[in-house]
Amino acid sequence: MKISRIDLADAASPERLVIDIFKHEPDLAIPVPIEELCLRLDILEIVPLTTAGYEGGLLTTADKFNGTILYNEASPRQRRRFTIAHELGHFLMPSHLPSAEGRFLCRLKDMMELKGGEADRRLRMEVEANRFASQLLMPPPRFRVDVAIGKDPDIRQLSSIATKYDVSKEAAGRAYVRFREEPVALVVTQNGKILRDYRDPLKFPNLTAPRGTLVSDHSLLRRRKHELGAASDIDETDAGVWTHVERGRKPAPLYEQVLLQRDGFALIMLSRDAEADRDDEEDEEAELTAAQRLRRRLSSDR
Ligand SMILES: [Zn+2]
């Protein structure tokens, strides 16, 4: 590896940082050798955290001459890799400044923040560090190609992508729902309750069940018995189980697939046909006013 921090001197956004890293290291291996990369970029050492309650940290000075990255030793390797990439993001982003004590301390919750922060500087830094980590570990030009393989969205494909990039299924899933052509949502549950869900809001409608509530009895998760670690078949369900369906309107088919994990966790992948969805959108588009169309275009350019 030949890259050094001088090569990134012009980059001020997560996207630009990642582009510049790959410009200087076009042959960077997958999975990205994140620790080696950190050491090339003035991180002196990567060591376990000793403060309880945090997932990661960065010790540095206001001038960010160099830094030390901290990670939670108890976390699985894939999550540690994301944490280290996230802390590298704080280190490289010129607008991210450490606390008066010369550090960043990040909780697991911070590692999942994907939006917001316009009015909250700390939240904005977390969102940006996550965008950096996600794109660095799953570089979009390569990730996009892997995501497009296969006829239908499938949890088995998501699992093999997560293995290839050495990231958690949840981190891979957040990127998967953005890059897969069909509308896809990924729901993380524990003991039958919805913890988190990921979807591209422009492609997949809102889920009707809020976080913290039980998954519907009619969902595949609860309709059938599932085997630990084995993805279920893809099953068609009534779209009304998960999304709002207007009365009198025939909803596009909705597919469900379940992967039961340890400790009561389960992933549920929801998907719709790309075609069916496009018809839906055309209907909707026809009903929009010019101002709504403009707003929609602007928000999709984000
Ligand atoms: Zn952070």
Side-chain angles (χ1 to χ4, degrees):
M1 234 184 259
K2 291 194 289 286
I3 194 168
S4 75
R5 258 172 96 202
I6 306 283
D7 300 325
L8 308 177
D10 296 332
S13 71
E15 289 70 23
R16 182 67 197 278
L17 277 167
V18 172
I19 288 170
D20 286 358
I21 288 171
F22 282 93
K23 197 164 88 190
H24 289 90
E25 293 291 340
D27 300 322
L28 209 56
I30 300 290
V32 168
I34 184 65
E35 302 200 6
E36 194 189 334
L37 184 65
C38 285
L39 299 178
R40 288 287 324 169
L41 298 174
D42 299 338
I43 295 298
L44 301 178
E45 50 177 0
I46 302 169
V47 292
L49 254 169
T50 47
T51 322
Y54 293 95
E55 195 59 28
L58 169 71
L59 308 179
T60 188
T61 46
D63 65 4
K64 294 200 181 157
F65 185 67
N66 53 39
T68 294
I69 286 180
L70 311 169
Y71 63 89
N72 178 1
E73 216 174 359
S75 287
R77 187 188 67 244
Q78 291 84 355
R79 189 186 289 163
R80 277 189 336 237
R81 282 170 51 75
F82 192 91
T83 298
I84 292 168
H86 172 108
E87 300 304 334
L88 180 64
H90 284 317
F91 183 64
L92 295 177
M93 279 290 291
S95 60
H96 293 200
L97 297 177
S99 67
E101 301 83 44
R103 65 188 187 188
F104 292 81
L105 279 174
C106 309
R107 295 180 190 275
L108 184 55
K109 182 180 159 291
D110 297 328
M111 309 281 168
M112 295 178 179
E113 300 288 4
L114 297 179
K115 54 178 188 280
E118 290 77 11
D120 177 340
R121 195 172 144 269
R122 193 185 127 69
L123 176 60
R124 194 190 66 226
M125 293 197 294
E126 298 311 325
V127 169
E128 288 177 341
N130 290 334
R131 279 210 324 260
F132 173 80
S134 177
Q135 293 179 30
L136 178 61
L137 297 177
M138 295 169 276
R142 300 193 214 182
F143 193 79
R144 202 184 297 275
V145 172
D146 287 323
V147 164
I149 293 169
K151 193 171 146 283
D152 298 309
D154 193 318
I155 285 189
R156 281 164 289 214
Q157 181 203 17
L158 174 63
S159 297
S160 65
I161 288 178
T163 304
K164 176 173 177 178
Y165 290 84
D166 204 9
V167 294
S168 69
K169 289 185 187 70
E170 189 168 341
R174 293 195 295 252
Y176 187 93
V177 301
R178 284 189 51 221
F179 286 108
R180 184 82 204 188
E181 189 202 350
E182 300 88 346
V184 186
L186 192 71
V187 186
V188 182
T189 68
Q190 189 180 26
N191 302 326
K193 268 191 190 162
I194 300 174
L195 297 183
R196 299 178 283 280
D197 64 270
Y198 303 105
R199 64 195 172 86
D200 180 338
L202 291 171
K203 288 194 292 189
F204 201 99
N206 264 320
L207 302 185
T208 40
R211 292 179 177 194
T213 59
L214 278 175
V215 172
S216 159
D217 287 343
H218 303 290
S219 157
L220 181 62
L221 177 70
R222 307 189 56 192
R223 265 189 290 128
R224 301 244 181 90
K225 274 253 163 283
H226 298 281
E227 193 187 320
L228 193 69
S232 74
D233 288 335
I234 300 170
D235 201 71
E236 187 171 338
T237 191
D238 183 334
V241 170
W242 285 101
T243 60
H244 176 72
V245 176
E246 253 171 73
R247 238 194 304 172
R249 190 160 175 184
K250 191 179 171 298
L254 182 70
Y255 304 98
E256 281 185 299
Q257 190 183 20
V258 171
L259 175 64
L260 195 63
Q261 300 172 299
R262 272 179 300 229
D263 304 323
F265 282 96
L267 288 179
I268 306 174
M269 185 180 275
L270 305 174
S271 60
R272 302 168 75 183
D273 295 325
E275 274 311 312
D277 195 68
R278 216 166 285 141
D279 294 347
D280 254 26
E281 263 171 30
E282 274 163 22
D283 287 358
E284 251 178 68
E285 189 84 13
E287 292 164 15
L288 296 176
T289 65
Q292 283 170 322
R293 268 196 293 273
L294 177 66
R295 217 173 297 134
R296 178 181 272 212
R297 245 199 335 272
L298 291 175
S299 68
S300 69
D301 286 345
R302 245 181 325 141

